[in-house]
């Protein structure tokens, strides 16, 4: 082939390719669109699976928290038992504070007596269990407060 014929041959091939592209321009685009649609369909199909997994995970967490809450919950009876034990454990501390307060009153140390009576009132429950010690602590608190005020006024 002559160099001139080769150029004609190449021109004819280019023209044939252009004419085929003009006749069927959508074939290449269709393939890309189909691949995109399939990809989108796969992605949309994956979203519900992720959503279902997330919902199942959340449901499991809710169930576990419910089980833990009910197993560690306090009943009214257990709360009352704990309160009785707390009050009974505080009675000896209140009685010793009351004894220290009475001895401070005899020594006319009204500041210390007032503080000890206050702590005795705090520790001793106002109930039948503590007997009259709570009432004695309240009475001593009032008397020591008045004596403390009188001592401060006199100064």
């Amino acid at each position: 082939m002559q160099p001139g014929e080769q150029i004609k041959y190449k021109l004819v091939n280019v023209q044939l390719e252009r004419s085929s592209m003009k006749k069927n321009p959508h074939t290449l685009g269709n393939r890309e669109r189909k691949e995109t649609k399939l990809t989108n369909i796969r992605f949309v199909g994956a979203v519900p699976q992720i959503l279902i997994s997330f919902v199942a995970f959340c449901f499991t967490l809710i169930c576990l928290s419910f089980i833990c809450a009910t197993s560690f919950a306090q009943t009214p009876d257990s709360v009352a038992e704990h309160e009785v034990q707390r009050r009974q454990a505080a009675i000896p501390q209140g009685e010793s504070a009351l004894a220290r307060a009475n001895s401070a009153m005899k020594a006319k140390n009204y500041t210390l007596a007032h503080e000890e009576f206050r702590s005795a009132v705090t520790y001793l429950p106002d109930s039948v269990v503590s007997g009259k010690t709570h009432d004695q602590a309240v009475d001593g608190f009032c008397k020591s407060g008045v004596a403390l005020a009188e001592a401060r006024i006199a100064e």
Side-chain angles (χ1 to χ4, degrees), residues 46-153:
V47 171
Q49 184 179 4
I50 292 171
L51 184 63
I52 289 170
S53 299
F54 179 72
V55 169
F57 177 73
C58 290
F59 180 73
T60 304
L61 284 179
I62 290 170
C63 288
L64 286 175
S65 65
F66 180 72
I67 290 170
C68 288
T70 56
S71 65
F72 296 120
Q74 293 182 346
T75 62
D77 293 335
S78 67
V79 171
E81 265 182 50
H82 289 292
E83 184 62 23
V84 167
Q85 290 173 357
R86 184 190 67 80
R87 288 182 182 185
Q88 285 179 348
I91 290 175
Q93 293 173 342
E95 289 174 347
S96 66
L98 183 61
R100 288 191 305 268
N102 285 330
S103 65
M105 278 295 279
K106 287 179 186 172
K108 296 189 183 209
N109 186 352
Y110 300 119
T111 307
L112 179 63
H114 191 67
E115 291 301 317
E116 290 296 333
F117 277 124
R118 179 184 312 208
S119 116
V121 169
T122 303
Y123 286 123
L124 294 170
D126 187 17
S127 65
V128 177
V129 175
S130 65
K132 295 190 182 222
T133 54
H134 182 268
D135 296 336
Q136 290 172 357
V138 171
D139 187 47
F141 180 71
C142 294
K143 287 181 182 177
S144 67
V146 169
L148 182 62
E150 288 174 352
R152 287 190 180 164
I153 290 172

